[in-house]
Amino acid sequence: MSPLSQTKKAHLQEGIAKGIIWFFVVLTIVILAWIILYVLYRGFVSVNHLHYQVTDATEMVATDPDHPTAPISMIIQRKVRLKDDLTSAELFEMYTKRRQPNWGDITGQNLDVELFALASESEEGAAGAEIILANRENYSKHVTLEKDGKAMIQAVSSTPGGIGFIPSAMVETLPRSVKVVPIRRIAAPVNASVEKIVDNVQIQTIDNDDLQAIFTGKVNNWQEIGGIDLPIRPVAYSKNAGIRGGLLDLILGKKDTILDQGILYVDTPEEFFETIDSLPGAIGMTYWEDVKDIDDRPMLTFDRLEVRQNLDWHYLVEAPARSGKWGGISTIIINTFFLILFTLLFSTPIGVLGAIYMVEYAKQGRVVRILRLGTETLAGIPSIVFGLFGFIFFVDMLGLGIGFISATLTVTMMILPTIIRTSEEALKSVPLSFREGSLALGATKLQTIAKVVVPAATPGILTGIILAVGRTVGETAVLIYTLGSNYELVRGPSSSARVLSLHLYNLFSEAISFDRSFATGAILIFIILLVNYSTTSLIGRLNKKAGK
Amino acid sequence: MKKISMLLVLFLAASFVLFAGGKQESGAAASASQFSGDYAFGGSTTVDPIIQAAIEEWKELYPDVHISYEGVGSSTGIKGIIAGTYSLGAASREPKDGEKAQGVEATHIALDAIAAIVNQSSVSISNISMANLASIYAGDITNWKEVGGPDAPIVVFNRDEASGTYETFEGHVMKKADKEFMASASVTTGNGDMAAKVGSTPYAIGYVGLGFTHEKGVKALTLEGIEPDVKNVYNKSYPVWRYLNVVHIGPLSQAGEVEQAFVDYLLSEDGQDIVEDLDFIRLP
């Protein structure tokens, strides 16, 4: 082989190696960025498909002249973080529930719902009672009656968590502390034949587009939208049916492609339900409160895509409630910092002093070798093993119980090897000449260590401590059986508590909320980023100082 | 070496001092009129929502009482009250003879039905017979086709053995059909976990307490045509139901003042409203 072709071959090899290395570099970066960005994205944006008994179309907004308007409009106090609208079913439940309802179920904030209604002597009061109670029940004992719209606005605006209703004509005069809530109240009852299971096929949820397609004649058979082979028979209120006559327009958004033939028009709710009950394949739109036998009547469920902001500052500053379903994570963040603080308080002196002993004082013989092997092994042991140890030793044998002190001590045990190992390496990397110089100047060994060796090794030691902090923040397995799951603020050494990672675990494993799991995950990522950033900048500054 | 051992001794001593301080605090005596102090309860994950909600209501009544509740499972909770880790436990089953022998007694606080749930979007059946349900869990029926569903293998989810729901299901469904759980089912850690996994796994089946049947993506099956609901549990027509209990050592009157007041609260009108609010069944 000529020397030339050998060079060529070498070049080729070089090129291939470079290519492979670059490929893996890019792959790693892409994977890392993808994971972090995905968790952050899900942390900030919640995307959910939710199923409702009512369509997306909202009502009771007097400001939109195109939509049929109910005689009343629902209003809430602005402190209630309701993003868009409520359904009639939610209203009904709130106003009839035995216990005082809480906004937590709808908005996630831990705030009692303060219910107001207009006395039913007035026209609007009667209309409100009909719409909200659907003639099924009475107002619960938690509802306060107001005499007129003015008093209602006053009451709702001054009560946190307040909800009430006013005559729609008064919507223009609302103060800033009160806002109007649109209500979704159009349900789609169907003939029982539509929900039958034939050959393992049953209609699932549909959406507004499907409903529009049905009433504009674009879809003629249930098969086309996921149901069984059965012709669709749309039923609608005619223009003579008063306010219900406008439902068709509302759903179709004033499109003039309404099916002329094919739709069966009815004039009254009685006629409507008779038609639905007797006509196979029938579907119609009516108000939710018109449906008297709500539990037994076949009705279609509607799929709604809800995209919302997930993580906001409320989540950071509010205390959790109901296992984290409501409220925020303020106490849990503080607990996390307490855990970090106390583990460092225990582990740093022991770890650093231990490392100093092993490097500076101990005779480098068998004992030190065994010690070193021991710490190395401990550093590699899965954290759940430390959890087991902590549970048996601290919780059970020492009788410390599940709580803050047991967890702190167990985590201390777990991160000690990390701190010892990194501190040892940092101390070892201080050149021997530093020590010799110091000793030659007449300093004692202790002075040499305190004034020369440890300062020179500080960046390395700090790195070890920060690594330990990172491990503490991210640790779950150790804490499940030593720290407990109480989500209140930690109150003493023996009180059970919850930290961010455990909270995430609980939210996820108890299926409390995926959105909240991701929000908590995002916070965890932020904390780790913060810790890492402050370390690099701190070490950078220390190195600079040493360099000077 | 000497220094290290000195350090270790110092460290242990320090932790003991801390520990002693903690005990003093939690031992603060409760006066009859105004309770205070730290209390640790623990047990069933099924009862968890009821207890957590009651604890939060109590915060307003007795701001000085701090109760924590650990959802560790009925059996672990009962072990905890025997060991003294918890001063009050909660169990979604009755105490067993062995546990009764150690002084464990139970007080009913609610009823609960256990419903078989399936993945809503993939499993089309809505009713199942007791015998078929037992056969699915015994591993004798492995395809949905055999019970009138789609032609697809059944993905079976079971609970861990510490779970009271597991034992109730075993007693009411498996034992009646004289069958045993198959070993190969995936194990879930709680009702919520079960509902989440069944809701997200195509062709999955599982079982949960009534309060969890409305979770995303799951559908509750009727058993022998009988719907799992309050009415059918009261009239005893729905077969798989159980009492939810709080458990304590000895009679309730010996469980401690705060514990007794807490259970009294659960049994009061307000407490039973919480039970109903969380989709469990109030005591008749």
Side-chain angles (χ1 to χ4, degrees):
Chain A
M1 236 191 270
S2 74
L4 193 73
S5 75
Q6 257 185 8
T7 346
K8 240 187 185 168
K9 205 175 148 197
H11 268 295
L12 191 67
Q13 279 177 341
E14 192 94 332
I16 290 171
K18 249 188 200 159
I20 291 173
I21 289 169
W22 272 107
F23 173 74
F24 280 109
V25 167
V26 172
L27 190 70
T28 317
I29 291 173
V30 166
I31 290 173
L32 286 181
W34 183 67
I35 294 172
I36 291 181
L37 290 180
Y38 183 75
V39 175
L40 289 182
Y41 168 73
R42 290 294 308 263
F44 281 100
V45 184
S46 84
V47 182
N48 285 308
H49 278 276
L50 295 181
H51 296 165
Y52 292 99
Q53 279 183 331
V54 287
T55 68
D56 281 2
T58 55
E59 259 198 290
M60 297 191 184
V61 194
T63 44
D64 187 349
D66 276 353
H67 287 173
T69 307
I72 56 154
S73 289
M74 298 302 301
I75 53 171
I76 55 168
Q77 214 235 0
R78 211 167 268 275
K79 281 222 178 70
V80 179
R81 293 199 298 276
L82 188 66
K83 292 282 157 37
D84 32 28
D85 48 24
L86 289 170
T87 64
S88 335
E90 284 164 345
L91 270 188
F92 174 77
E93 209 198 319
M94 272 188 201
Y95 274 90
T96 57
K97 205 167 164 178
R98 292 172 65 108
R99 268 166 60 70
Q100 183 160 31
N102 192 301
W103 283 108
D105 291 326
I106 297 165
T107 67
Q109 67 193 127
N110 184 10
L111 180 66
D112 280 341
V113 180
E114 301 292 344
L115 302 152
F116 295 98
L118 289 173
S120 30
E121 284 82 60
S122 68
E123 197 184 318
E124 284 87 9
E130 203 187 315
I131 289 172
I132 293 170
L133 300 172
N135 295 324
R136 269 177 231 138
E137 268 187 60
N138 293 321
Y139 286 130
S140 79
K141 61 180 179 206
H142 305 289
V143 177
T144 315
L145 290 179
E146 297 291 337
K147 63 178 195 308
D148 58 18
K150 233 175 167 173
M152 173 69 80
I153 294 175
Q154 178 59 31
V156 171
S157 74
S158 60
T159 319
I163 181 169
F165 56 87
I166 51 169
S168 288
M170 290 180 77
V171 162
E172 308 292 335
T173 65
L174 282 181
R176 245 198 66 79
S177 54
V178 170
K179 63 181 173 188
V180 176
V181 187
I183 306 296
R184 283 179 286 143
R185 54 184 195 127
I186 303 169
V190 290
N191 187 274
S193 58
V194 174
E195 293 199 330
K196 262 202 199 119
I197 304 174
V198 176
D199 293 332
N200 288 325
V201 173
Q202 186 187 23
I203 185 115
Q204 306 284 340
T205 59
I206 68 168
D207 58 22
N208 260 31
D209 292 344
D210 293 332
L211 197 63
Q212 283 191 3
I214 289 173
F215 281 91
T216 50
K218 286 186 193 109
V219 170
N220 298 309
N221 194 303
W222 286 107
Q223 217 166 15
E224 295 169 56
I225 51 173
I228 58 173
D229 183 12
L230 184 75
I232 299 179
R233 307 296 304 273
V235 179
Y237 287 106
S238 70
K239 293 283 174 206
N240 311 328
I243 195 159
R244 290 180 183 82
L247 287 179
L248 202 54
D249 284 346
L250 188 69
I251 284 295
L252 299 176
K254 285 258 172 185
K255 282 181 195 160
D256 18 343
T257 44
I258 297 177
L259 198 61
D260 282 337
Q261 68 272 38
I263 293 188
L264 268 164
Y265 285 102
V266 292
D267 290 335
T268 61
E270 292 76 31
E271 205 185 327
F272 176 85
F273 286 107
E274 256 170 48
T275 315
I276 294 282
D277 284 341
S278 59
L279 191 65
I283 174 175
M285 288 173 300
T286 191
Y287 286 126
W288 185 86
E289 65 264 20
D290 289 342
V291 187
K292 300 284 177 269
D293 40 359
I294 200 86
D295 293 326
D296 300 322
R297 178 168 287 281
M299 294 207 294
L300 288 181
T301 44
F302 290 90
D303 179 277
R304 185 159 96 137
L305 180 67
E306 296 188 349
V307 182
R308 299 224 170 109
Q309 186 188 352
N310 190 12
L311 181 60
D312 55 12
W313 65 273
H314 297 287
Y315 194 61
L316 294 179
V317 298
E318 279 173 17
R322 295 295 163 91
S323 304
K325 207 183 215 161
W326 301 347
I329 51 169
S330 62
T331 57
I332 293 164
I333 294 179
I334 297 171
N335 286 350
T336 311
F337 282 113
F338 270 132
L339 184 75
I340 296 171
L341 187 73
F342 279 91
T343 28
L344 286 188
L345 221 58
F346 286 137
S347 58
T348 316
I350 303 174
V352 175
L353 292 178
I356 290 175
Y357 171 80
M358 295 230 288
V359 175
E360 305 292 332
Y361 287 98
K363 215 172 85 203
Q364 302 297 315
R366 200 134 157 231
V367 183
V368 169
R369 269 217 308 282
I370 292 174
L371 267 177
R372 217 157 263 163
L373 184 72
T375 46
E376 253 159 53
T377 317
L378 279 180
I381 284 179
S383 54
I384 187 73
V385 179
F386 281 100
L388 185 69
F389 166 79
F391 181 73
I392 299 295
F393 187 69
F394 293 118
V395 176
D396 234 24
M397 276 169 64
L398 294 188
L400 295 176
I402 289 179
F404 191 68
I405 186 72
S406 302
T408 310
L409 294 176
T410 317
V411 176
T412 302
M413 297 287 142
M414 187 190 76
I415 63 173
L416 256 183
T418 317
I419 294 187
I420 294 180
R421 288 293 303 146
T422 43
S423 307
E424 239 192 299
E425 291 308 320
L427 291 168
K428 268 199 234 161
S429 65
V430 176
L432 209 57
S433 55
F434 278 39
R435 298 184 180 85
E436 288 165 353
S438 169
L439 290 172
L441 286 171
T444 64
K445 186 157 190 181
L446 190 66
Q447 283 171 330
T448 306
I449 292 171
K451 296 262 166 71
V452 178
V453 181
V454 172
T458 305
I461 294 174
L462 274 181
T463 317
I465 292 172
I466 300 290
L467 276 177
V469 171
R471 239 191 126 176
T472 312
V473 173
E475 195 42 65
T476 320
V478 158
L479 300 173
I480 294 175
Y481 294 110
T482 54
L483 188 57
S485 65
N486 187 10
Y487 43 85
E488 277 180 69
L489 203 60
V490 104
R491 298 184 54 256
S494 60
S495 81
S496 151
R498 200 185 267 206
V499 293
L500 282 169
S501 52
L502 266 186
H503 188 54
L504 203 164
Y505 172 78
N506 279 317
L507 287 178
F508 185 69
S509 70
E510 290 295 316
I512 290 166
S513 162
F514 283 101
D515 285 339
R516 281 164 174 260
S517 307
F518 274 111
T520 313
I523 302 280
L524 267 173
I525 289 185
F526 272 124
I527 290 181
I528 300 276
L529 282 179
L530 197 74
V531 166
N532 286 1
Y533 173 75
S534 55
T535 337
T536 8
S537 64
L538 188 72
I539 290 171
R541 221 177 320 151
L542 283 173
N543 279 340
K544 224 193 214 161
K545 220 165 146 194
K548 255 199 295 196
Chain B
M1 272 320 281
K2 218 174 174 185
K3 281 188 183 168
I4 283 207
S5 47
M6 274 285 284
L7 271 174
L8 269 177
V9 169
L10 265 175
F11 169 66
L12 277 178
S15 56
F16 274 116
V17 170
L18 273 168
F19 157 55
K23 271 289 147 172
Q24 255 165 20
E25 190 184 335
S26 62
S31 71
S33 57
Q34 187 64 41
F35 301 125
S36 64
D38 287 357
Y39 296 86
F41 299 170
S44 159
T45 60
T46 309
V47 192
D48 186 303
I50 299 179
I51 307 273
Q52 294 285 16
I55 289 173
E56 270 164 35
E57 293 294 318
W58 249 46
K59 257 188 221 162
E60 283 163 30
L61 296 174
Y62 308 104
D64 294 334
V65 179
H66 294 269
I67 302 172
S68 66
Y69 181 85
E70 312 288 337
V72 287
S74 298
S75 298
T76 317
I78 290 176
K79 272 186 201 133
I81 60 160
I82 292 170
T85 323
Y86 306 129
S87 56
L88 189 72
S92 54
R93 60 168 172 81
E94 302 301 310
K96 291 179 210 160
D97 291 340
E99 291 160 351
K100 279 186 191 149
Q102 297 187 65
V104 176
E105 289 186 23
T107 306
H108 300 323
I109 57 163
L111 281 85
D112 186 26
I114 295 174
I117 52 168
V118 292
N119 183 272
Q120 190 179 31
S121 53
S122 58
V123 182
S124 52
I125 65 166
S126 54
N127 176 55
I128 196 163
S129 69
M130 291 282 278
N132 280 344
L133 186 60
S135 297
I136 287 175
Y137 270 89
D140 300 339
I141 292 178
T142 56
N143 195 304
W144 281 113
K145 202 172 51 180
E146 295 170 66
V147 290
D151 182 9
I154 304 177
V155 182
V156 181
F157 284 103
N158 206 340
R159 286 287 303 277
D160 55 293
E161 284 168 34
S163 149
T165 315
Y166 172 95
E167 284 180 32
T168 312
F169 191 83
E170 188 180 36
H172 284 77
V173 178
M174 304 308 284
K175 292 246 169 76
K176 269 188 195 149
D178 206 18
K179 286 189 190 292
E180 277 187 17
F181 280 126
M182 62 172 166
S184 60
S186 306
V187 171
T188 57
T189 57
N191 277 300
D193 189 29
M194 174 73 95
K197 284 197 173 125
V198 171
S200 59
T201 314
Y203 305 112
I205 186 169
Y207 55 89
V208 289
L210 203 54
F212 294 84
T213 52
H214 303 299
E215 296 289 326
K216 212 164 126 187
V218 305
K219 174 169 73 177
L221 298 180
T222 55
L223 273 187
E224 311 276 359
I226 298 163
E227 201 152 328
D229 63 17
V230 181
K231 181 175 83 227
N232 292 333
V233 171
Y234 279 157
N235 67 25
K236 309 256 157 94
S237 60
Y238 186 77
V240 194
W241 64 275
R242 42 132 176 225
Y243 282 110
L244 301 182
N245 301 312
V246 288
V247 287
H248 32 82
I249 303 287
L252 184 61
S253 51
Q254 287 171 25
E257 278 179 327
V258 168
E259 285 80 0
Q260 194 183 351
F262 187 78
V263 177
D264 285 345
Y265 177 77
L266 286 174
L267 297 175
S268 72
E269 193 72 11
D270 281 349
Q272 292 295 303
D273 282 349
I274 294 181
V275 167
E276 196 174 282
D277 198 16
L278 294 165
D279 288 331
F280 294 102
I281 305 167
R282 60 198 301 145
L283 291 174

